[in-house]
Amino acid sequence: MHGRLATDDSLRQAAIIVTSCCSLCNVLSTMESTNHLFFECQYAVSLWNWIGYMFNIRMNHDNMDDILSTASRMFVCAQVKYLCWAAIISGFWTIWWNRNKVRFEDEWVSIPQAIKFLTQLTSESGNLSNNNMSNSVVDLSTLRYFGVKARPRKAPRIDNVCWYPPLNGWIQINSDGCSLGNLGMAGSGGILCDSHSRLVGCLSISLDIKTSIFAEFHVALCALEITLDQGWDKIWLECDSLLVVMAFEGKFNVLWKLQNRWSNCVVRLLKVNFRFSHIFHEGNQYADILSKRCAAQQGFFWWATTPDFLPVAVGRDLLGLPYFRFK
């Protein structure tokens, strides 16, 4: 393609005068050109229509861009889409191979023979794919026709994620931060509970335009400072940010804007009983709702009782009902 194939029109442009006739459709009045050979010739049109029929798509074969864009717009699984690309590329090669068989070996290849050859090429290429099918009968029948080994998607692993209250006499902080874009309008939220799952308080803070990482660290600091100021000496921080956990383990450097506050907070935490742990996002619903609420609003909010927009999440956790995490 791109004018590199030795079709009759390309030879004429190179000052090689030849008598031109399409070798596949045998129309004497038609000069062989790249555009005619691959997109206008009835032989090529038959192959493109067959590919469209096999993959249940409407093939627009006016030019190469139209053919490639048709395949790109397919709403099918990755394995079948890969197979369609293989069929299209094999279609170009089949047309050129058959043209040369007629031109140089005087051997005519019929449409059924060409389809058989194209199917074989597509099958060989399709079996090299590592993509998965969508576990549907249509995809399976297409793959079986081309002799391609089906690669069904694995069933997801479902884990139960539960929120648990802290040990007796401890105060547990669940924190979360978010941003509507990165950078974007950010918010952070935290909730404090005692060992009887009673709400001690919850906070929600608007941070203007920040990153989600900043929001995660900021709310953890704010919640810890509040608990320390209240004089509690048994504090447990639980968040869904691995970076915050790694920072407490000394494996991640805190953002420079928060380093002074972080250092002061760590020094104060050395004087009390302090623990930290990670929880999956699904089990941190309280804090997630609070952070998203304040990302769209301005200000600092503190509630000493359960807010009106949290009863469902609070009730679910009080009953010990699990959330589900799909892997």
Side-chain angles (χ1 to χ4, degrees):
M1 311 303 285
H2 302 291
R4 299 299 181 90
L5 295 178
T7 53
D8 292 348
D9 63 332
S10 298
L11 294 176
R12 289 191 175 191
Q13 291 178 3
I16 302 175
I17 307 302
V18 293
T19 302
S20 179
C21 174
C22 179
S23 302
L24 296 179
C25 63
N26 292 322
V27 179
L28 298 178
S29 60
T30 303
M31 183 182 72
E32 183 191 75
S33 64
T34 301
N35 191 63
H36 171 79
L37 181 64
F38 290 101
F39 308 114
E40 298 175 356
C41 176
Q42 288 303 311
Y43 193 96
V45 170
S46 298
L47 292 182
W48 296 131
N49 289 338
W50 178 82
I51 292 175
Y53 171 77
M54 291 306 303
F55 291 94
N56 195 27
I57 56 176
R58 184 177 180 180
M59 291 290 293
N60 187 357
H61 47 74
D62 293 336
N63 52 59
M64 178 176 285
D65 290 338
D66 289 339
I67 292 177
L68 298 181
S69 64
T70 300
S72 300
R73 293 194 300 267
M74 288 180 63
F75 294 100
V76 294
C77 66
Q79 189 176 16
V80 173
K81 195 167 191 175
Y82 180 96
L83 192 66
C84 183
W85 278 107
I88 290 174
I89 295 172
S90 299
F92 283 108
W93 171 246
T94 300
I95 294 170
W96 183 245
W97 180 76
N98 291 342
R99 177 262 189 192
N100 290 336
K101 293 283 285 187
V102 176
R103 181 67 63 95
F104 301 111
E105 299 179 17
D106 196 23
E107 182 180 339
W108 171 257
V109 181
S110 64
I111 295 293
Q113 289 175 317
I115 290 176
K116 184 177 180 180
F117 180 68
L118 193 159
T119 303
Q120 181 181 354
L121 292 178
T122 305
S123 175
E124 293 174 356
S125 300
N127 281 309
L128 299 176
S129 171
N130 293 323
N131 297 316
N132 295 323
M133 61 178 289
S134 61
N135 299 355
S136 69
V137 176
V138 176
D139 289 352
L140 182 61
S141 60
T142 303
L143 294 172
R144 282 187 174 179
Y145 177 86
F146 286 97
V148 176
K149 182 179 178 181
R151 298 175 60 89
R153 291 184 296 181
K154 295 182 180 179
R157 192 181 77 186
I158 305 175
D159 293 336
N160 291 343
V161 181
C162 295
W163 177 87
Y164 297 103
L167 301 175
N168 188 33
W170 286 70
I171 295 295
Q172 179 168 304
I173 303 169
N174 282 81
S175 65
D176 191 23
C178 73
S179 62
L180 305 178
N182 224 0
L183 299 167
M185 294 300 296
S188 56
I191 187 164
L192 287 69
C193 294
D194 62 15
S195 57
H196 300 288
S197 301
R198 291 185 297 233
L199 180 71
V200 176
C202 54
L203 68 153
S204 184
I205 309 169
S206 175
L207 300 174
D208 294 327
I209 299 178
K210 293 290 188 295
T211 64
S212 58
I213 297 177
F214 182 92
E216 293 277 7
F217 278 94
H218 183 269
V219 68
L221 275 174
C222 288
L224 287 172
E225 289 170 348
I226 290 174
T227 54
L228 289 169
D229 292 340
Q230 292 295 321
W232 290 311
D233 58 355
K234 294 181 179 181
I235 305 170
W236 192 321
L237 174 66
E238 189 174 60
C239 62
D240 57 17
S241 173
L242 284 173
L243 294 181
V244 174
V245 175
M246 291 171 62
F248 278 111
E249 294 174 345
K251 299 178 182 179
F252 183 79
N253 294 325
V254 182
L255 301 176
W256 67 270
K257 290 184 178 180
L258 300 173
Q259 281 183 354
N260 288 337
R261 288 181 62 186
W262 183 269
S263 299
N264 294 334
C265 186
V266 169
V267 171
R268 296 178 65 185
L269 289 173
L270 294 175
K271 302 176 183 179
V272 299
N273 292 324
F274 174 65
R275 295 184 182 183
F276 57 88
S277 61
H278 175 263
I279 187 172
F280 289 119
H281 171 76
E282 290 79 4
N284 204 28
Q285 295 293 318
Y286 284 158
D288 180 63
I289 295 172
L290 289 167
S291 64
K292 289 180 179 177
R293 180 180 179 86
C294 220
Q297 298 180 3
Q298 296 293 321
F300 174 91
F301 301 91
W302 172 265
W303 295 270
T305 57
T306 304
D308 296 336
F309 52 87
L310 277 183
V312 176
V314 172
R316 190 180 185 88
D317 285 349
L318 288 176
L319 294 173
L321 298 177
Y323 297 93
F324 301 102
R325 178 177 178 83
F326 297 86
K327 295 184 179 179

